[in-house]
C-alpha cells in the first residue's frame, strides 16, 4: 500500500486497529522495561588503572552529592550539580494523558493513516527509532535523528535547533511536517470530530463539543510528560553506592573532572539546554546542516545544535543530530580529540558563514582505559 494512498474505511481501519493493538503491547513492554537493571558483577574491561583508581574513589563518592570531589569545567563554565529527576505521575493518573497515549499510538494523526508518533518514538527503543534519521510520509527520510521522549517534562526547548518552545508546540510540528506525518490541521480536526470514539473522549476530557488542535497537542504533551524510566544512575544517586562497578565509578569521576563533561551536561537532566557547535556542520558537504542558523540567521549560530540530555543515552543511539555516530565510544573519541575542526576549502577562506567549533572543547588526552571507563559510566545513565 502506498503511503500516499488516500484513506479508505476498510484498509485504513484494519491498519489502524493493528497498530493500536501493537501500541497496547508496546505500552505493556514499556512498563516492564522500567525495572532498574540489577547490580553489576565483575568490571568488564577493567584495566589496572581503572580497578585501582575506581576502588580508591569509593570513599570520595560514598556521601551526599555536595560532598563529592569538585567539578571541573572548561573555562570555569557555570554548571548545575547532579541531582535526581523530579519525575511526574504515571500515564494512568489523568484522563488527558490517557487520551494522549491513545493518540500517540494511532496513525489517524497522519495523512496516509499509516504513521503514528510511535513510528519514530518506539517504547522498546527508549522512545526513539534506532536509525540514523527517521522515515516518514511516502518513505521520505529526514535529515535529523529522532531524540528520545523520556524525561522531557521539564525541558524548556525542543528540536535539535530549538524550533519548539514547549511539548505542545513540538507535538504539532511532526503532524504537519510534509516529510513526517504530512497531515493538515484542518483535515485532522475534521477526522477527529467525525470519529465517534475520539469525539466522545475529547468531550469528556475538555468539556467542549468539538475537538480543537490545541486539545490534540495538549493531550499528546500530557502523555509525553509521563514518559520516564529509572536507571542504574538513579539508584546510585538514591544512595545505593554499591550499584556501580569500579570502572563505572571511575568513569563518573572522569565525567566530573578530567573529561570536562559537566561543562555542558550537568544538572538533573544532564544538559545545559544551550546550543553549541562541536564541528559537525558538514559545511559544503553531503550532510550539511546549518542548525540553529536556520532560525536566527545569525552567523555565529551556524552549526549550533541543542545539547541533548544524556539521560538514557545507552539506548538512544545512533547519536548526534544526524545520527552518524553509531557508538558511545565514537562520541567519547570525538570529544577526546577536542571536537571536529573543519578547515575552509579553497574559496571558503573569507566565507562569513564558515562555522567555528566551540572553544569549550579542548583536547582531553584521556587514555584508552579512561575512555572505556567513561563509556561504562555513560551506559548507567
Amino acid at each position: 500500500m502506498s503511503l500516499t494512498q488516500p484513506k479508505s474505511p476498510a484498509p485504513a481501519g484494519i491498519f489502524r486497529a493493528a497498530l493500536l493493538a501493537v501500541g497496547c503491547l508496546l505500552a505493556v513492554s514499556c512498563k516492564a522495561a522500567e525495572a532498574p537493571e540489577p547490580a553489576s558483577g565483575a568490571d568488564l574491561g577493567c584495566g589496572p588503572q581503572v580497578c585501582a583508581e575506581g576502588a580508591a574513589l569509593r570513599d570520595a563518592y560514598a556521601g551526599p552529592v555536595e560532598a563529592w570531589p569538585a567539578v571541573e569545567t572548561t573555562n570555569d563554565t557555570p554548571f548545575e550539580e547532579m541531582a535526581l529527576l523530579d519525575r511526574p505521575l504515571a500515564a494512568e493518573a489523568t484522563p488527558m494523558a490517557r487520551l494522549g497515549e491513545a493518540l500517540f499510538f494511532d496513525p489517524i494523526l497522519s495523512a496516509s493513516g499509516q504513521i503514528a508518533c510511535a513510528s519514530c518514538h518506539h517504547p522498546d527503543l527508549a522512545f526513539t527509532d534506532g536509525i540514523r534519521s527517521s522515515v516518514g510520509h511516502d518513505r521520505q527520510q529526514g535529515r535529523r535523528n529522532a531524540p528520545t521522549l523520556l524525561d522531557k517534562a521539564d525541558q524548556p526547548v525542543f528540536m535539535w535547533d530549538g524550533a519548539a518552545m514547549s511539548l505542545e508546540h513540538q507535538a504539532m510540528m511532526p503532524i504537519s511536517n510534509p516529510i513526517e506525518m504530512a497531515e493538515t490541521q484542518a483535515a485532522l480536526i475534521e477526522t477527529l470530530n467525525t470519529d465517534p470514539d475520539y469525539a466522545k473522549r475529547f468531550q469528556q476530557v475538555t468539556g467542549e463539543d468539538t475537538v480543537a488542535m490545541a486539545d490534540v497537542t495538549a493531550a499528546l504533551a500530557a502523555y509525553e510528560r509521563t514518559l520516564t524510566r529509572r536507571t542504574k544512575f538513579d539508584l546510585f544517586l538514591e544512595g545505593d553506592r554499591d550499584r556501580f562497578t569500579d570502572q563505572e565509578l571511575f568513569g563518573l569521576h572522569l565525567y566530573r573532572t578530567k573529561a570536562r563533561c559537566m561543562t555542558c551536561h550537568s544538572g538533573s537532566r544532564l544538559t545545559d539546554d544551550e546550543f553549541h557547535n562541536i564541528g559537525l556542520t558538514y559545511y559544503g558537504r553531503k550532510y550539511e546542516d546549518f542548525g540553529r542558523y536556520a532560525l536566527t540567521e545569525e552567523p555565529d549560530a551556524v552549526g549550533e545544535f541543542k545539547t541533548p540530555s544524556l539521560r538514557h543515552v545507552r539506548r538512544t543511539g545512533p547519536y548526534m543530530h544526524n545520527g552518524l555516530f553509531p557508538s558511545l565510544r565514537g562520541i567519547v573519541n570525538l570529544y577526546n580529540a577536542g571536537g571536529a575542526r573543519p578547515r575552509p576549502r579553497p574559496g571558503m577562506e573569507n566565507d562569513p558563514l564558515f562555522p567555528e567549533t566551540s572553544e569549550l572543547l579542548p583536547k582531553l588526552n584521556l587514555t584508552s582505559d579512561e575512555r572505556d571507563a567513561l563509556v561504562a559510566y555513560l551506559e548507567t545513565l
Side-chain angles (χ1 to χ4, degrees):
M1 181 184 294
S2 169
L3 284 172
T4 57
Q5 180 177 338
K7 298 176 185 177
S8 58
I14 293 171
F15 189 90
R16 177 182 169 194
L19 189 50
L20 284 172
V22 172
C24 293
L25 293 173
L26 294 180
V28 172
S29 65
C30 176
K31 297 179 189 300
E34 290 177 5
E37 298 175 9
S40 299
D43 292 329
L44 299 178
C46 180
Q49 176 196 20
V50 173
C51 287
E53 297 200 35
L57 289 167
R58 287 285 164 191
D59 288 342
Y61 285 92
V65 175
E66 54 268 24
W68 288 0
V71 170
E72 300 174 21
T73 61
T74 304
N75 299 340
D76 294 322
T77 301
F79 67 94
E80 293 184 22
E81 187 52 274
M82 293 176 167
L84 285 168
L85 278 169
D86 182 15
R87 288 187 162 96
L89 298 174
E92 293 78 10
T94 68
M96 182 66 87
R98 290 197 296 271
L99 177 54
E101 182 175 17
L103 289 168
F104 188 87
F105 289 99
D106 197 334
I108 197 174
L109 298 185
S110 65
S112 65
Q114 299 183 21
I115 302 172
C117 301
S119 299
C120 299
H121 299 283
H122 195 295
D124 287 348
L125 296 172
F127 287 91
T128 67
D129 58 12
I131 60 177
R132 183 182 67 79
S133 58
S134 299
V135 176
H137 185 73
D138 201 21
R139 303 300 299 169
Q140 297 176 88
Q141 186 167 21
R143 292 187 304 164
R144 293 178 181 169
N145 180 257
T148 179
L149 294 181
L150 291 171
D151 292 321
K152 299 299 183 184
D154 296 326
Q155 186 167 308
V157 294
F158 299 84
M159 304 296 193
W160 282 102
D161 55 10
M165 301 306 295
S166 67
L167 267 176
E168 288 80 0
H169 186 192
Q170 182 277 328
M172 179 177 63
M173 295 177 73
I175 293 174
S176 56
N177 189 310
I179 66 171
E180 294 186 48
M181 301 174 85
E183 182 63 293
T184 66
Q185 294 186 33
L188 175 58
I189 294 308
E190 180 180 0
T191 298
L192 292 175
N193 276 302
T194 55
D195 183 293
D197 179 56
Y198 275 121
K200 180 180 179 180
R201 293 189 66 175
F202 271 102
Q203 195 279 332
Q204 291 173 337
V205 171
T206 67
E208 301 294 333
D209 293 333
T210 58
V211 181
M213 192 65 196
D215 301 326
V216 176
T217 57
L220 288 168
Y223 170 62
E224 290 172 2
R225 287 190 176 96
T226 71
L227 300 179
T228 185
R229 292 176 185 170
R230 293 172 70 230
T231 66
K232 190 174 185 178
F233 180 61
D234 289 317
L235 298 176
F236 184 84
L237 284 180
E238 289 168 4
D240 186 358
R241 299 295 195 255
D242 292 333
R243 181 67 56 167
F244 274 15
T245 66
D246 290 343
Q247 184 183 45
E248 291 162 349
L249 188 61
F250 184 38
L252 166 63
H253 185 66
L254 290 168
Y255 182 98
R256 295 172 57 85
T257 56
K258 182 178 178 180
R260 304 292 195 272
C261 300
M262 289 185 68
T263 301
C264 298
H265 294 279
S266 68
S268 61
R269 292 176 39 261
L270 303 177
T271 174
D272 60 4
D273 290 310
E274 297 292 340
F275 300 86
H276 303 286
N277 179 357
I278 62 173
L280 299 180
T281 311
Y282 293 86
Y283 194 79
R285 292 184 286 164
K286 177 181 178 180
Y287 294 108
E288 179 182 83
D289 191 331
F290 280 21
R292 192 157 173 79
Y293 174 80
L295 295 177
T296 68
E297 296 186 350
E298 297 176 359
D300 289 345
V302 175
E304 288 189 344
F305 294 91
K306 185 182 179 298
T307 306
S309 167
L310 294 184
R311 288 283 186 169
H312 313 286
V313 71
R314 178 177 69 89
R315 301 192 62 205
T316 56
Y319 304 100
M320 298 306 187
H321 68 275
N322 48 25
L324 290 180
F325 283 70
S327 70
L328 284 173
R329 181 56 187 257
I331 299 293
V332 169
N333 288 341
L334 173 70
Y335 284 112
N336 190 50
R341 301 283 169 175
R343 297 180 181 179
R345 291 184 292 182
M348 291 183 174
E349 294 85 356
N350 298 317
D351 187 341
L353 295 184
F354 193 86
E356 293 187 14
T357 302
S358 173
E359 63 180 14
L360 297 178
L361 297 175
K363 290 185 177 182
L364 300 174
N365 299 312
L366 298 173
T367 68
S368 180
D369 272 357
E370 288 173 333
R371 279 174 275 163
D372 286 342
L374 189 54
V375 170
Y377 163 67
L378 291 173
E379 290 180 341
T380 72
L381 299 178

